[in-house]
Amino acid sequence: MLKIEDLHAGVEGTEIIKGLSLDLPAGEVHAIMGPNGSGKSTLSYVLSGRDGYEATAGSVTLDGEDLLSMEAHERAAAGLFLGLQYPVEIPGVSNVNFLRTALNAQRKLRGEDEISAADFLRETRKEAEAFDLSMDHMKRGVNVGFSGGEKKRNEMIQMAVLKPRLALLDETDSGLDIDALRVVADGINRMRSPDRSFLLITHYQRLLDYVKPDKVHVLQDGRITRTGGPELAAELEREGYVGIAA
Amino acid sequence: MAANAEALALAEESSKYKWGFTSDVESELSPKGLDENTVRYISMKKGEPEWMLDWRLKAFRLWQTMEHPDWSKLNVPPIDYQDAYYYAEPKKKPTLESLDDLDPAIRETYEKLGIPIEEQKVLANVEGARKVAVDAVFDSVSVATTFREELTKAGVIFMSISEAIREHPELVRKWLGAVVPQRDNFFATLNSAVFSDGTFVYIPEGVRCPMELSTYFRINAENTGQFERTLIVADKGSYVSYLEGCTAPQRDENQLHAAVVELVALDDAEIKYSTVQNWYPGDENGMGGIYNFVTKRGHCRGARSKISWTQVETGSAVTWKYPSCVLAGEDSVGEFYSVALTNNAQQADTGTKMIHLGKNTRSTIISKGISAGRSDNTYRGLVRVGPSAENVRNFTQCDSLLLGDKCGAHTVPYIEVKNPSAQIEHEATTSKISDDQLFYAMSRGLDEEEAVALIVNGFAREVLQQLPMEFAVEAQKLLGISLEGAVG
C-alpha cells in the first residue's frame, strides 16, 4: 500500500531523511521507532505534505499513486490520515463541525456526495463513545481546553470517522495515561482490517504492548537501520537505541 | 507558507466580487453637482411637504460651513462633491401597490442578488424559511416593499421613508433628527440635506413585529452617491429585528455612500439591528470601490430598553462607521457585535460609542477585526459614563486576526468615566492564523482557502451567532469569499 523508496527530505535545505525505504503492505501494522532527532516527525510531515517539508529525492506512493505531487488535503482525500503528536486548537469551530467539514471536503475531492447530517451524527456519536469523549466535548471548539489525553482520543475519533486507508500515528501514545492508552490501542485494533494499514511512529514501545505490529523499523539519523518483528521493540526497550546501533 | 508573490497572483486571478454586475436600467438623474437647487430638486421629485424641504435646506446651509473630518486612521483622497449625481431614479416609475409593474431589469437584479421581492417566492421558500419582509432600495428610490398587508394588521408601519413623510408626517417629523441631529457630523449633515430614500419603521406599543424586516440597498447608476436614511421607532414594550444588506456594481471610480440610521427604543422596547455590508471594495490595487461614511446611532430613551447592533463589514474601499448607543433610560442595555474584514487595499475605521447616561445601564462590545492583504483595520470605540449614571457596567473585547505581514490592525479604545461606581472591562488580543492550524485543517482534507475560511469563521463566531440564521449562513460564505487569495 505505502511504498517509500530512497526518500531524501528535509526542512529549509537541511537534509533530515537520508535515503529511507519502506514497504508497508495493505492490512499490516508497522512501527517506526527512533530516538529524539532521528527524523520521526519530519517523516510524518513529509508524508502528509506539510508546507516547508520538501522531498529532494526518492519516491513515495500510496496504492501506486504518487503522494509527493499531491497537496496535503489531496493526500487526505486519497486516504492518508495523520494523527498528530500535538493536536492543534481551533477556537470557535466545534469538533463536530470541523470533522463534518473535513469529511465532506474529502468526499467532494473523491467525487462522492456529502454525508447526510443524520448519518454523520450517528457515526460521530458512536465513535466518541468508543473513545470515551462526551458529545459535550465534541460540541466545543476543536481541542480547546482538552487535556493531552483528550486531544489524542479526539484524533482517534477523527480517524475512525474519516476511515483512512493509511493511518500515520505520530507519537499517539505520548501524554496518555494507562487507561487512555488502552482506549486508543483498542480503537486501533478494532480498526485493523485487510485493506487498512497503520504506521505507528513512536519513541517508546508502550503502545506496542497493546497493538502488536507486524514489523518494527528502527529509524536512526534519517535512515532505517534495522527491521524486525515485534520482538525488536522489546530488544530496544532493554538495550536502548545506542545498544542496537548498527 | 508559500511566497507572497504566489498570493498576489492568486488574488489577481480570482475576480472575487460576485455582485459586481450592472443592470441596464434607464435612470433619471438629478443635474450633476450639489447646490440648493439640487436639494430642491430632490425634495420636489419626492413630492415632499414644505417642512421637509426647509429641514433639508437648513442642513445644507450647515453643511457648507463644515469640513471633512480627518481624525480617523483613514487615507481618503479629497472628494469632489460637485462631481457626482445626488439623485438617480429608475425611469419607469414603480407602482408600489403592485409588484408586477416593477421594471423587469430591476426585478432581475434583485433576483440575481437573491433578494426575495416577490411574496410568493418568499412563501414558497422551502425548508421553513422564515418570512422576511423586504424593502428594496435601488439607487435613490425604494422600489418594492413586501408583506405590507400582514404588517399593517399588526399595526407595524414598514415603508420607504419618502412614503412615510407623505403618509405619517407627524411621526417622521417628531423623530427625524432626534437621535442624529442635523449638525452631528459632516456626513450626517450632508445626508440630512440630500437623503434620497431609505426605510421607516414604527412598531406600536406592545407589539412584537411578526416577522423580520429587511432593507436591501443597491447602488446601480454610475457616479451616483447613495444617501439613505433609516428611522426605526420601537414604542413601549415592542420588539423588532431589522436586517440590512448592501451591494454595488464593480466600477473603477469611487462612489460615495453616506447613510444615517436612527433608532429609538422607548420603555421596555428592544431593537435588534443587523447589517451585512458588502459594497464593492475596489480591486486588488485599490482602484474603485465605495466610500462608506455612515452614522448609525440608537437611543435607548426608555427604561429597560435595549438596542443591539450586529455588523459584518466585508465591503467598501473605505469604511467609517460607529454604530452607537445612547443609554439614557434606566436599566437600558446597549450591545455592539462586529466583524470587520479588510483585504487588498481596503481601509476600515469602525467601532462604537456607548454613552451611559442612565442608572444601571449596561453595554457589551465584541469586535473582531480581520486584516489581510495590504489593508488597514482599526477598531475605535468610546465608552463614556456620565456623572449621574450609577452602577454602569461595560465589557469590551477587541480581537484582531492578521493574515500575512503587510496588513495592519489597530485598537483605539477611549474610556471616559465620570462616576466612580462604574465597572469597565476591556480586553484586547491580536493574533495571526498559525501555520499549525492551517496544516491541521489541510491534513484533514480542506484546501488552503477552505481552511482559512473555517479558522476565520471560528474567530468571528461570537458575532456571527448573533445574526439571524439566514444571514449568518450568508455572512459565513461572505467571509470566505472575501478572503480568497489572501493566503499563500
Side-chain angles (χ1 to χ4, degrees):
Chain A
M1 173 173 295
L2 177 71
K3 231 184 179 65
I4 305 175
E5 281 175 354
D6 193 27
L7 179 67
H8 291 254
V11 185
E12 288 169 4
T14 307
E15 190 170 88
I16 296 168
I17 302 296
K18 302 166 180 170
L20 185 148
S21 298
L22 182 96
D23 196 356
L24 172 57
E28 291 198 2
V29 175
H30 287 198
I32 291 188
M33 300 184 69
N36 288 333
S38 58
K40 295 193 302 282
S41 284
T42 302
L43 178 64
S44 66
Y45 285 147
V46 170
L47 293 180
S48 54
R50 180 161 191 162
D51 250 1
Y53 290 79
E54 305 295 336
T56 47
S59 72
V60 180
T61 58
L62 178 65
D63 291 328
E65 276 191 273
D66 176 13
L67 213 52
L68 296 177
S69 67
M70 295 183 207
E71 302 241 18
H73 65 286
E74 294 164 338
R75 298 184 198 197
L80 180 79
F81 177 86
L82 170 66
L84 285 174
Q85 183 177 2
Y86 301 109
V88 180
E89 298 185 7
I90 307 180
V93 180
S94 73
N95 286 292
V96 174
N97 182 25
F98 180 65
L99 188 48
R100 185 151 81 114
T101 308
L103 180 58
N104 281 331
Q106 290 194 16
R107 291 173 76 116
K108 192 173 153 201
L109 277 173
R110 291 195 291 257
E112 299 164 11
D113 287 338
E114 289 200 348
I115 189 169
S116 80
D119 286 349
F120 170 77
L121 271 177
R122 194 176 312 120
E123 183 84 10
T124 303
R125 210 168 264 141
K126 190 184 88 194
E127 297 301 343
E129 199 172 314
F131 289 98
D132 205 17
L133 266 194
S134 69
M135 276 312 274
D136 186 47
H137 277 81
M138 295 304 290
K139 285 172 188 161
R140 289 193 216 154
V142 175
N143 292 319
V144 175
F146 281 23
S147 69
E150 286 168 342
K151 286 181 182 173
K152 296 298 174 67
R153 280 185 269 156
N154 193 23
E155 294 287 279
M156 292 298 105
I157 294 166
Q158 291 179 17
M159 175 176 77
V161 172
L162 293 171
K163 296 186 179 48
R165 302 260 292 130
L166 169 66
L168 208 63
L169 304 180
D170 187 4
E171 305 276 1
T172 291
D173 47 347
S174 71
L176 291 185
D177 62 29
I178 193 73
D179 292 333
L181 186 67
R182 263 200 202 113
V183 170
V184 165
D186 288 350
I188 295 172
N189 287 329
R190 182 166 53 86
M191 285 190 68
R192 285 176 86 151
S193 86
D195 50 23
R196 178 173 294 129
S197 308
F198 289 85
L199 191 58
L200 311 176
I201 299 174
T202 181
H203 189 114
Y204 302 106
Q205 64 137 24
R206 254 163 36 107
L207 181 64
L208 307 182
D209 290 342
Y210 301 93
V211 181
K212 196 170 167 233
D214 298 289
K215 275 187 181 160
V216 174
H217 309 274
V218 178
L219 180 68
Q220 284 175 301
D221 194 25
R223 274 184 215 94
I224 287 175
T225 50
R226 266 187 80 179
T227 294
E231 71 288 349
L232 182 54
E235 191 186 330
L236 269 175
E237 192 76 359
R238 276 197 316 274
E239 322 227 334
Y241 289 103
V242 180
I244 68 144
Chain B
M1 297 248 106
N4 266 310
E6 208 178 304
L8 277 175
L10 252 175
E12 271 159 31
E13 246 172 60
S14 52
S15 178
K16 299 172 294 287
Y17 193 74
K18 293 171 173 60
W19 305 266
F21 59 88
T22 49
S23 309
D24 196 10
V25 178
E26 238 189 300
S27 301
E28 191 175 338
L29 295 163
S30 63
K32 206 174 193 176
L34 181 56
D35 56 22
E36 282 203 15
N37 286 331
T38 320
V39 177
R40 285 176 200 282
Y41 177 90
I42 294 168
S43 189
M44 183 264 292
K45 287 303 282 186
K46 299 266 165 205
E48 287 177 352
E50 193 151 340
W51 63 265
M52 194 66 243
L53 174 63
D54 291 345
W55 198 82
R56 287 175 179 277
L57 287 171
K58 191 176 144 212
F60 180 71
R61 286 165 198 150
L62 254 171
W63 181 72
Q64 286 176 305
T65 68
M66 296 168 88
E67 276 178 29
H68 196 287
D70 64 353
W71 44 261
S72 68
K73 201 183 175 311
L74 299 170
N75 181 14
V76 186
I79 299 168
D80 183 355
Y81 289 91
Q82 298 307 329
D83 188 31
Y85 296 99
Y86 286 81
Y87 187 80
E89 157 184 295
K91 230 179 193 158
K92 183 168 180 252
K93 188 122 189 165
T95 314
L96 290 162
E97 296 311 315
S98 159
L99 294 171
D100 299 336
D101 291 347
L102 187 56
D103 186 324
I106 294 179
R107 183 181 293 214
E108 203 181 299
T109 302
Y110 282 113
E111 271 167 16
K112 267 199 223 171
L113 296 167
I115 309 304
I117 299 192
E118 288 166 282
E119 281 155 87
Q120 289 92 336
K121 219 172 170 184
V122 183
L123 288 166
N125 226 344
V126 276
E127 285 195 280
R130 240 174 317 165
K131 279 194 266 180
V132 178
V134 178
D135 182 25
V137 176
F138 196 83
D139 288 332
S140 309
V141 179
S142 169
V143 290
T145 309
T146 60
F147 283 114
R148 190 163 283 194
E149 222 170 290
E150 199 170 331
L151 290 168
T152 309
K153 235 183 262 166
V156 171
I157 302 172
F158 176 49
M159 56 175 57
S160 76
I161 196 136
S162 307
E163 282 177 282
I165 288 166
R166 294 191 296 267
E167 292 179 27
H168 301 281
E170 71 299 340
L171 278 174
V172 176
R173 219 173 160 173
K174 179 169 178 192
W175 296 111
L176 191 72
V179 184
V180 179
Q182 283 180 311
R183 60 175 66 248
D184 192 78
N185 69 73
F186 183 84
F187 298 106
T189 308
L190 175 62
N191 174 288
S192 299
V194 301
F195 75 84
S196 38
D197 218 328
T199 306
F200 176 73
V201 177
Y202 174 77
I203 315 290
E205 194 171 331
V207 169
R208 192 177 170 89
C209 188
M211 64 189 78
E212 305 204 309
L213 304 181
S214 167
T215 298
Y216 204 84
F217 295 106
R218 174 84 180 161
I219 298 178
N220 188 58
E222 232 171 318
N223 291 318
T224 311
Q226 179 148 323
F227 305 91
E228 81 265 359
R229 185 110 195 169
T230 301
L231 174 58
I232 299 177
V233 180
D235 213 326
K236 290 176 186 167
S238 67
Y239 169 84
V240 63
S241 167
Y242 179 89
L243 327 167
E244 65 172 4
C246 345
T247 59
Q250 208 158 333
R251 295 189 191 281
D252 283 345
E253 69 276 3
N254 298 103
Q255 284 178 286
L256 179 64
H257 172 250
V260 171
V261 176
E262 298 178 279
L263 312 182
V264 180
L266 301 183
D267 287 356
D268 300 295
E270 179 176 348
I271 302 174
K272 186 173 166 58
Y273 194 104
S274 311
T275 303
V276 174
Q277 186 266 108
N278 184 30
W279 296 118
Y280 178 54
D283 69 9
E284 52 282 356
N285 301 313
M287 170 82 103
I290 302 291
Y291 290 159
N292 193 33
F293 295 96
V294 172
T295 305
K296 288 183 167 174
R297 194 173 305 150
H299 194 183
C300 284
R301 285 173 77 101
R304 298 165 304 278
S305 58
K306 177 176 175 183
I307 289 178
S308 180
W309 298 100
T310 304
Q311 60 172 14
V312 175
E313 304 278 316
T314 61
S316 298
V318 171
T319 295
W320 179 100
K321 176 179 172 189
Y322 315 89
S324 302
C325 296
V326 178
L327 302 166
E330 289 185 13
D331 298 295
S332 61
V333 174
E335 294 176 338
F336 175 73
Y337 298 97
S338 170
V339 175
L341 181 153
T342 53
N343 193 3
N344 297 313
Q346 280 178 275
Q347 306 174 68
D349 193 306
T350 183
T352 185
K353 290 188 276 188
M354 292 291 174
I355 313 289
H356 292 263
L357 301 176
K359 287 178 185 148
N360 305 320
T361 48
R362 283 166 292 150
S363 62
T364 304
I365 299 170
I366 308 285
S367 164
K368 304 277 182 176
I370 301 149
S371 324
R374 291 162 291 123
S375 69
D376 232 333
N377 200 329
T378 302
Y379 166 81
R380 186 184 303 278
L382 167 70
V383 177
R384 177 183 289 157
V385 178
S388 57
E390 299 287 334
N391 299 319
V392 163
R393 300 197 62 163
N394 162 266
F395 174 74
T396 301
Q397 186 183 328
C398 296
D399 298 322
S400 304
L401 186 69
L402 299 165
L403 281 82
D405 54 10
K406 297 203 163 44
C407 53
H410 317 273
T411 302
V412 191
Y414 304 79
I415 298 173
E416 298 171 16
V417 179
K418 299 212 168 83
N419 184 306
S421 65
Q423 284 183 48
I424 311 288
E425 285 177 75
H426 181 96
E427 292 177 7
T429 66
T430 302
S431 54
K432 288 182 84 162
I433 286 192
S434 75
D435 289 357
D436 283 344
Q437 286 176 326
L438 271 181
F439 171 65
Y440 190 48
M442 289 181 72
S443 77
R444 295 297 179 259
L446 278 68
D447 68 30
E448 194 166 29
E449 283 180 355
E450 290 167 338
V452 169
L454 185 85
I455 295 164
V456 166
N457 272 302
F459 172 76
R461 199 180 77 105
E462 273 174 282
V463 174
L464 296 179
Q465 68 189 10
Q466 296 294 330
L467 290 171
M469 183 68 90
E470 298 87 336
F471 255 40
V473 172
E474 197 62 25
Q476 273 180 31
K477 282 190 208 145
L478 195 55
L479 289 180
I481 290 167
S482 305
L483 282 172
E484 273 176 24
V487 271

